[in-house]
Amino acid sequence: DAGITQSPRHKVTETGTPVTLRCHQTENHRYMYWYRQDPGHGLRLIHYSYGVKDTDKGEVSDGYSVSRSKTEDFLLTLESATSSQTSVYFCAISADRGAGNTIYFGEGSWLTVV
Amino acid sequence: AQSVTQLGSHVSVSEGALVLLRCNYSSSVPPYLFWYVQYPNQGLQLLLKYTSAATLVKGINGFEAEFKKSETSFHLTKPSAHMSDAAEYFCAVSESGYSTLTFGKGTMLLVSP
């Protein structure tokens, strides 16, 4: 298993509150990603990082921000949680880009916004 | 822009039958293609990937996929289904020079005794 730890694994929060999900890796991989998974939509990219303090937006970035102050940690923040952000969030990592470089996934964080 | 279409949100087979999960892609450049499997309440695990070395790619658990450029397809097959194959399967594409994956919506494989 790729050394990826997501925390918390399960969380219930109220609408309007900020939420931070943490992804920690022990592989020293350059690239880190946050995806969300919803029924009928597959996985969609929220944000990704290609180095410390280097991040970019994905397909569904509205309402989310990220930070990466260390190679091993990538934080996803929901600035003001809404019910539409109830989802399963997956962190992923890869060593490099191009040439079909493999992306490895964490176990997921289940977030419910009530 | 790259995209992936998986035909059939659910596929049902009997144990021992052929498994065929369909994936078609759209890409403006030669793609890299992946199949991932997700068991209930778990993350995604790589089954196999195509990176232009060979058109027939063999993966874990007896699965294989064939890249057909003329059909823009990368269908996943397994000769004989096992109960443990029941899971959701995702096809994904990335393009050379890019670091992100674009996923299809997934196909749930149901295996009956």
Side-chain angles (χ1 to χ4, degrees):
Chain A
D1 290 340
I4 305 170
T5 303
Q6 293 186 226
S7 60
R9 293 291 313 280
H10 297 86
K11 186 174 181 65
V12 179
T13 192
E14 294 186 349
T15 299
T17 61
V19 176
T20 295
L21 305 180
R22 179 179 183 245
C23 178
H24 178 78
Q25 61 142 330
T26 58
E27 306 295 326
N28 200 34
H29 281 1
R30 178 183 175 191
Y31 287 84
M32 299 185 75
Y33 312 82
W34 278 107
Y35 284 87
R36 61 176 288 175
Q37 182 179 22
D38 304 287
H41 291 276
L43 282 85
R44 294 177 292 175
L45 182 66
I46 305 171
H47 282 280
Y48 70 101
S49 170
Y50 46 95
V52 173
K53 299 186 178 179
D54 292 322
T55 65
D56 205 350
K57 295 180 179 180
E59 178 187 358
V60 290
S61 60
D62 287 349
Y64 300 95
S65 62
V66 290
S67 66
R68 191 171 180 197
S69 58
K70 298 184 290 185
T71 298
E72 58 266 35
D73 290 327
F74 192 34
L75 304 180
L76 176 71
T77 298
L78 287 66
E79 294 139 9
S80 177
T82 68
S83 59
S84 65
Q85 293 176 312
T86 293
S87 186
V88 184
Y89 292 85
F90 286 97
C91 176
I93 64 173
S94 67
D96 208 334
R97 71 175 190 177
N101 195 63
T102 299
I103 295 180
Y104 299 95
F105 286 81
E107 293 296 298
S109 292
W110 274 253
L111 177 67
T112 302
V113 183
V114 298
Chain B
Q2 56 195 24
S3 66
V4 171
T5 301
Q6 291 184 242
L7 298 178
S9 59
H10 292 80
V11 170
S12 295
V13 300
S14 299
E15 192 171 22
L18 171 72
V19 175
L20 171 60
L21 304 182
R22 300 178 186 272
C23 172
N24 288 88
Y25 69 91
S26 172
S27 175
S28 58
V29 297
Y32 299 110
L33 294 158
F34 303 78
W35 276 100
Y36 283 85
V37 60
Q38 184 181 34
Y39 299 101
N41 299 316
Q42 294 187 23
L44 278 73
Q45 178 183 3
L46 181 69
L47 272 179
L48 50 81
K49 65 179 181 182
Y50 166 76
T51 58
S52 76
T55 56
L56 182 62
V57 182
K58 295 187 183 297
I60 63 172
N61 302 338
F63 285 92
E64 62 181 36
E66 186 172 10
F67 173 71
K68 292 187 176 181
K69 183 179 179 180
S70 61
E71 299 178 6
T72 61
S73 69
F74 191 57
H75 301 330
L76 182 70
T77 61
K78 182 174 181 178
S80 177
H82 193 272
M83 295 294 290
S84 61
D85 294 327
E88 190 160 21
Y89 293 79
F90 292 92
C91 183
V93 63
S94 71
E95 294 181 343
S96 177
Y98 288 83
S99 60
T100 62
L101 286 174
T102 298
F103 283 87
K105 295 183 178 181
T107 297
M108 184 69 71
L109 177 65
L110 307 171
V111 183
S112 56

